[in-house]
């Protein structure tokens, strides 16, 4: 048996044994967007407009500076929109525990022994009804400054997303800004029992909380509330489901777990939902409070740690009053995806453990492009619901040596991330100028991530901010080119009908290992198509240019509506027959630059 015949048989077997739609996905036509695609710019609000580059480890707000709501100007927002962005996710808006003294404004001083970093984790919420005072030029007017930012964002033609952190709160949670009649979390709890359906927290009766062994808040720096102790008796369960009064330094020890009526200490995690638990009502009211501030969506932190039954109930409760508001889940369990969409009511879910992890593996030479096809097959029917990204506040920067070590390696990954599906795409601030996340900042180590715990400047991003001009005046020519490359990708998501709402056809396996294609496992090819537009996309993950002679099966041409014997590729004629025959080279030849992509418009 010849090598060529063996390969053809293997291809046929692959198609026969997989889903009936191995090459093509029509899920996009099942969920045609009635509006533009969602393109999110994640802004870490505390860092975005800060131009202070002192960057002293463990530095104070006064030493290292902090960004403000009011500094996010009309110009800044216009430049963000110009990238092709539709939504801004303002990360770290809600008041969280931190180590700057605002007692003059009636805000209690936090205990340093249960705060990570000096600026604190934005996911250790201290008051759900307030905003971070760090972000206000006038602390007393902090909510008004946030409301003005929301209006400014809307006036720029952008929508607003904020965090909702449902699984846990800061150990020192205490709302001083709650509306009249609101009862704080835990205020009415029965602390003598480990669990009660209407308790807001889980308790460990007969124990007291112990600060993790080895935790030295602020390093060698002192602070009025730093003494190695935190008074909490009985101890509460820690945010990452640690039912022990002595969590480790690697746990979310700065937070306490919220009780949604699930009895964790019992085998099988018994659910007590016959009557709506008190925490459900409290969280609904918090969501409605922020919805009343004209936010357009919520990014829900660690959503899968909260029962899907709560989400089913609360998304309906909120959308009954605010039908256009969206919910995006941070979730890492693919087996739960459809449940959180179909039952939980989520509009969008993180696509981290499938597409993100695969693309990272490819760019690090641990995987090849063969792994991409299985992702869209597994996500059949929910592709439009998956939020795709390459960076965010939890992940390493592309330009860091921990990820790719070269800012330009993000471009082929971003092309696949953006062009494969009609779902939302996200860009993290600084990604578009090659920010490497370099430097040991305090609690945030030198690990390729931009710190979320410390007061800090983001050096490459600061060059774009350019002393508040937001014009990229200090960027290098290479950085300007990179930013344009990201802009070109993101804009096409809505400017191209095929990328905005078209169906998907995978050409990868039809071209792999064909002696006549020059197509390698560093290349990935697919088509996006509508009745009006057919677009071939070829990405190159190699450090060298690639030339591929693309083969296309006859059923694909029929699907695309291109039936003539002579077709056009960006205006250049080629024989359709040449793309069908495995024994001869195709006339549909595409040259792809190193670490880049090529878009070819097909027509007849």
């Amino acid at each position: 048996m010849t090598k060529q015949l063996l390969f053809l048989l293997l291809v046929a077997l692959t198609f026969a044994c997989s889903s009936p739609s191995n090459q093509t996905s029509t899920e996009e036509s099942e969920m045609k967007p009635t509006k533009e695609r969602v393109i999110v710019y994640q802004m870490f609000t505390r860092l975005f407009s800060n131009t202070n580059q002192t960057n002293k480890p463990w530095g104070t707000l006064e030493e290292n500076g902090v960004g403000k709501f009011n500094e996010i100007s009309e110009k800044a927002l216009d430049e963000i929109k110009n990238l092709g962005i539709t939504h801004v996710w303002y990360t770290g808006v809600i008041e969280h525990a931190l180590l700057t003294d605002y007692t003059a404004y009636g805000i209690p001083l936090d205990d340093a022994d249960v705060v990570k970093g000096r600026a604190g984790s934005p996911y250790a919420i201290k008051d759900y009804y307030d905003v971070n005072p760090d972000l206000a030029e006038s602390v007393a007017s902090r909510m008004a400054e946030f409301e003005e930012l929301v209006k400014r964002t809307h006036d720029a033609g952008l929508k607003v997303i904020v965090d909702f952190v449902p699984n846990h709160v800061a150990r020192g949670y205490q709302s001083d800004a709650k509306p009249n009649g609101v009862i704080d979390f835990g205020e009415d709890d029965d602390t003598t029992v480990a669990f009660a359906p209407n308790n807001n927290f889980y308790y460990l009766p007969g124990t007291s909380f112990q600060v993790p062994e080895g935790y030295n808040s602020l390093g060698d720096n002192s602070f009025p509330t730093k003494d190695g102790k935190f008074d909490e008796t009985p101890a509460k369960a820690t945010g990452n489901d640690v039912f022990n009064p002595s969590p480790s330094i690697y746990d979310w020890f700065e937070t306490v777990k919220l009780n949604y009526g699930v009895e964790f200490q019992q085998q099988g995690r018994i659910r007590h939902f016959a009557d709506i638990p008190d925490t459900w009502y409290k969280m609904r009211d918090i969501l409605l409070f922020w919805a009343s501030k004209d936010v357009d969506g919520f990014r829900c932190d660690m959503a899968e740690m909260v029962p899907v039954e709560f989400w089913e109930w609360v998304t309906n409760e909120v959308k009954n009053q605010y039908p256009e508001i969206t919910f995006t889940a941070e979730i890492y369990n693919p087996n739960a995806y459809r449940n959180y969409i179909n039952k939980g009511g989520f509009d969008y879910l993180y696509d981290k453990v499938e597409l993100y992890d695969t693309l990272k593996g490819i760019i690090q030479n641990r995987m090849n492009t063969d792994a991409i096809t299985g992702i869209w097959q597994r996500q059949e029917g929910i592709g439009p619901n998956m939020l795709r990204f390459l960076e965010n506040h939890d992940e390493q920067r592309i330009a860091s040596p921990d990820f790719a070590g070269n800012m330009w390696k993000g471009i082929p990954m971003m092309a696949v991330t953006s062009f494969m599906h009609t779902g939302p795409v996200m860009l993290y601030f600084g990604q578009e100028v090659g920010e490497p996340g370099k430097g040991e900042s305090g609690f945030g180590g030198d690990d390729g991530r931009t710190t979320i715990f410390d007061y800090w400047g983001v050096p490459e991003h600061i060059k774009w901010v350019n002393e508040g001009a937001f014009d990229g005046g200090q960027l290098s020519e290479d950085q300007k080119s990179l930013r344009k490359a990201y802009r070109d990708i993101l804009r096409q998501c809505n400017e191209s009908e095929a990328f905005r709402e078209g169906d998907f056809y995978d050409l990868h396996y039809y071209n792999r290992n064909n002696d006549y294609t020059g197509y390698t496992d560093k290349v990935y090819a697919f088509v996006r198509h509508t009745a009006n537009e057919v677009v071939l996309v070829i990405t190159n993950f190699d450090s060298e240019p690639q030339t591929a002679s693309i083969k296309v099966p006859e059923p694909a041409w029929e699907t695309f509506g291109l039936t003539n014997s002579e077709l056009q590729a960006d205006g250049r004629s080629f024989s359709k027959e040449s793309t069908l025959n495995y024994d001869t080279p195709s006339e549909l030849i595409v040259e792809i630059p190193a670490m880049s992509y090529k878009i070819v418009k097909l027509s007849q």
Side-chain angles (χ1 to χ4, degrees):
M1 182 179 292
T2 67
K3 175 183 176 184
Q4 188 67 31
L5 181 57
L6 176 61
F7 172 70
L8 287 171
L9 288 172
L10 287 173
V11 169
L13 183 62
T14 299
F15 291 166
C17 294
S18 60
S19 69
S21 178
N22 190 312
Q23 289 176 289
T24 185
S25 171
T26 58
E27 64 182 32
E28 318 301 359
S29 60
E30 295 168 8
M31 186 181 171
K32 290 285 191 188
T34 56
K35 300 179 181 178
E36 63 189 355
R37 276 183 70 180
V38 172
I39 312 296
V40 180
Y41 184 89
Q42 185 191 0
M43 178 190 298
F44 201 89
T45 319
R46 180 207 304 151
L47 304 177
F48 177 76
S49 61
N50 182 28
T51 57
N52 186 322
Q53 296 193 64
T54 302
N55 284 357
K56 174 183 175 182
W58 302 107
T60 65
L61 181 152
E62 292 77 16
E63 290 169 326
N64 284 353
V66 70
K68 303 290 185 180
F69 290 136
N70 287 353
E71 293 169 350
I72 305 168
S73 64
E74 293 177 8
K75 168 68 172 173
L77 294 167
D78 287 344
E79 289 298 321
I80 290 170
K81 183 176 176 59
N82 191 43
L83 284 170
I85 300 298
T86 63
H87 292 61
V88 180
W89 167 16
Y90 291 110
T91 305
V93 164
I94 300 177
E95 185 181 357
H96 59 268
L98 49 78
L99 299 181
T100 295
D101 189 346
Y102 290 106
T103 54
Y105 300 92
I107 301 172
L109 191 63
D110 289 297
D111 192 306
D113 299 292
V114 287
V115 176
K116 290 179 177 177
R118 194 181 287 272
S121 167
Y123 298 101
I125 300 299
K126 172 181 176 176
D127 188 345
Y128 271 116
Y129 290 100
D130 208 349
V131 297
N132 182 358
D134 278 348
L135 305 178
E137 290 181 348
S138 169
V139 175
S141 302
R142 57 192 180 275
M143 186 62 78
E145 290 188 18
F146 171 70
E147 291 166 348
E148 289 164 4
L149 174 61
V150 172
K151 183 178 185 306
R152 221 163 35 249
T153 306
H154 288 157
D155 289 346
L158 296 162
K159 294 187 176 181
V160 173
I161 298 171
V162 296
D163 289 295
F164 174 56
V165 188
N167 176 69
H168 48 267
V169 296
R171 288 213 105 89
Y173 184 92
Q174 179 184 345
S175 177
D176 52 76
K178 61 183 182 292
N180 290 334
V182 171
I183 298 172
D184 252 350
F185 287 99
E187 192 173 330
D188 287 342
D189 280 6
D190 179 357
T191 63
T192 66
V193 296
F195 169 83
N198 284 315
N199 275 359
N200 299 136
F201 299 123
Y202 297 97
Y203 295 92
L204 304 170
T207 70
S208 296
F209 173 78
Q210 302 296 314
V211 173
E213 183 178 355
Y215 183 59
N216 183 21
S217 176
L218 299 179
D220 294 332
N221 298 282
S222 62
F223 194 77
T225 58
K226 176 182 175 179
D227 60 4
K229 303 173 185 177
F230 180 72
D231 185 14
E232 181 183 283
T233 302
K236 302 182 182 78
T238 291
N240 59 323
D241 297 353
V242 174
F243 288 79
N244 186 310
S246 303
S248 81
I249 198 169
Y250 304 106
D251 289 319
W252 305 349
F253 64 85
E254 79 280 21
T255 68
V256 290
K257 173 83 174 176
L258 285 167
N259 170 16
Y260 283 82
V262 179
E263 196 169 0
F264 272 78
Q265 293 96 322
Q266 294 297 317
Q267 187 174 5
R269 297 189 175 187
I270 299 171
R271 285 161 151 74
H272 297 264
F273 300 157
D275 296 315
I276 300 296
D278 182 72
T279 300
W280 292 28
Y281 289 116
K282 283 184 166 68
M283 285 307 203
R284 177 202 60 187
D285 293 345
I286 288 163
L287 285 165
L288 290 173
F289 172 83
W290 289 102
S292 74
K293 301 293 182 185
D294 289 333
V295 305
D296 302 289
F298 297 101
R299 178 269 186 188
C300 301
D301 187 71
M302 297 307 298
E304 64 187 314
M305 296 183 75
V306 174
V308 71
E309 293 87 349
F310 163 75
W311 293 115
E312 179 183 24
W313 176 81
V314 83
T315 54
N316 279 315
E317 289 279 305
V318 175
K319 289 189 176 190
N320 281 340
Q321 296 189 42
Y322 300 92
E324 298 301 317
I325 211 156
T326 61
F327 287 82
T328 300
E330 179 189 17
I331 183 169
Y332 301 106
N333 177 11
N335 293 326
Y337 286 173
R338 286 169 174 80
N339 200 27
Y340 274 74
I341 294 168
N342 299 328
K343 182 175 182 179
F346 277 98
D347 300 280
Y348 308 115
L349 311 180
Y350 266 35
D351 187 3
K352 194 272 179 188
V353 300
E354 293 198 308
L355 188 60
Y356 169 92
D357 283 352
T358 297
L359 292 175
K360 188 173 185 179
I362 292 169
I363 213 69
Q364 293 180 339
N365 296 313
R366 295 182 288 104
M367 303 172 71
N368 64 43
T369 54
D370 293 347
I372 297 175
T373 293
I375 297 170
W376 70 258
Q377 290 174 333
R378 290 190 296 274
Q379 294 179 359
E380 185 75 24
I382 62 171
N385 301 99
M386 304 307 293
L387 169 67
R388 299 175 175 89
F389 55 85
L390 295 174
E391 290 186 3
N392 66 30
H393 65 281
D394 285 322
E395 307 303 335
Q396 293 163 328
R397 294 287 195 171
I398 294 166
S400 76
D402 305 272
F403 191 152
N406 180 335
M407 64 186 185
W408 282 100
K409 290 185 177 182
I411 295 304
M413 293 192 290
M414 197 67 181
V416 171
T417 296
S418 302
F419 296 151
M420 272 187 67
H421 301 279
T422 59
V425 177
M426 185 168 74
L427 183 79
Y428 190 38
F429 88 108
Q431 176 183 340
E432 73 277 24
V433 296
E435 172 58 43
K438 186 178 181 180
E440 189 164 342
S441 53
F443 186 85
D446 190 4
D447 59 0
R449 296 173 175 84
T450 295
T451 180
I452 66 171
F453 303 103
D454 308 285
Y455 297 114
W456 202 248
V458 185
E460 302 309 312
H461 170 73
I462 285 173
K463 294 176 182 178
W464 175 77
V465 174
N466 192 22
E467 300 299 332
F470 299 102
D471 61 2
Q474 298 177 37
L475 294 176
S476 68
E477 291 304 312
D478 203 32
Q479 288 175 308
K480 291 176 182 178
S481 296
L482 181 73
R483 193 171 190 275
K484 181 182 183 301
Y486 275 107
R487 183 173 70 238
D488 289 345
I489 291 172
L490 295 176
R491 280 183 171 182
Q492 287 181 90
C493 289
N494 276 304
E495 291 176 357
S496 164
E497 180 181 282
F499 292 144
R500 186 176 66 249
E501 57 192 79
D503 293 327
F504 172 87
Y505 200 103
D506 193 333
L507 293 176
H508 184 70
Y509 276 98
Y510 199 73
N511 285 273
R512 279 283 283 124
N513 298 320
N514 186 316
D515 292 338
Y516 294 98
T517 64
Y519 188 106
T520 73
D521 64 2
K522 295 291 188 180
V523 174
Y524 187 72
F526 58 92
V527 170
R528 293 290 304 280
H529 60 99
T530 66
N532 302 314
E533 187 177 37
V534 181
V535 178
L536 169 65
V537 180
I538 314 97
T539 52
N540 178 16
F541 291 89
D542 202 343
S543 56
E544 297 295 330
Q546 299 282 305
T547 299
S549 173
I550 301 297
K551 296 289 183 177
V552 182
E554 179 66 45
W557 290 121
E558 294 173 2
T559 298
F560 306 155
L562 301 180
T563 56
N564 290 358
S565 59
E566 288 289 321
L567 299 175
Q568 303 285 315
D570 284 343
R572 178 176 55 83
S573 296
F574 67 95
S575 163
K576 183 176 76 174
E577 184 68 24
S578 74
T579 70
L580 306 178
N581 191 339
Y582 255 79
D583 297 324
T584 59
S586 169
E587 293 179 10
L588 181 52
I589 299 171
V590 182
E591 296 180 355
I592 320 109
M595 289 295 166
S596 192
Y597 67 97
K598 194 73 176 286
I599 293 174
V600 179
K601 290 195 175 183
L602 304 175
S603 60
Q604 60 184 21

